[in-house]
Amino acid sequence: MVWFVAGSAAGVYAAAKAKRAAYRLSMPGLVDQSAALGLGWRAFRSELRDGMETREREVAHELSGTPNLDHLSLETHRHELADKDHP
């Protein structure tokens, strides 16, 4: 009985894998895969561009000597300016 269940489970698993492989090699499967690849590439490119722009802003702030206000709250910046005005 155990061997029958094991063999049946292996057959069902193999049939499912074969069906997926056949779909991936069919024309609709290839179209789906290329669409997924294009979507992944666009997402990667967008994340890369966002990271580059963020880093460019950080470098520009570092080189200009101005504080990076993206990470500071407005209230903290006001306190810093008030401390500089009053020695």
Side-chain angles (χ1 to χ4, degrees):
M1 183 69 167
V2 172
W3 291 113
F4 176 75
V5 171
S8 296
V12 168
Y13 177 76
K17 289 297 248 181
K19 186 176 180 180
R20 287 185 195 146
Y23 175 74
R24 276 183 286 195
L25 295 175
S26 69
M27 187 53 71
L30 292 173
V31 169
D32 288 347
Q33 288 178 14
S34 64
L37 180 64
L39 180 65
W41 176 251
R42 285 189 299 276
F44 172 73
R45 191 176 62 202
S46 174
E47 290 291 325
L48 186 65
R49 187 178 307 123
D50 290 345
M52 286 173 45
E53 289 172 357
T54 301
R55 183 61 187 145
E56 285 175 0
R57 280 194 305 272
E58 290 172 357
V59 169
H61 283 297
E62 289 174 8
L63 293 176
S64 69
T66 59
N68 188 355
L69 300 178
D70 293 339
H71 301 293
L72 298 174
S73 68
L74 185 58
E75 193 63 33
T76 304
H77 186 62
R78 284 184 190 153
H79 289 298
E80 289 175 358
L81 291 176
D83 291 342
K84 288 180 183 178
D85 291 338
H86 302 292

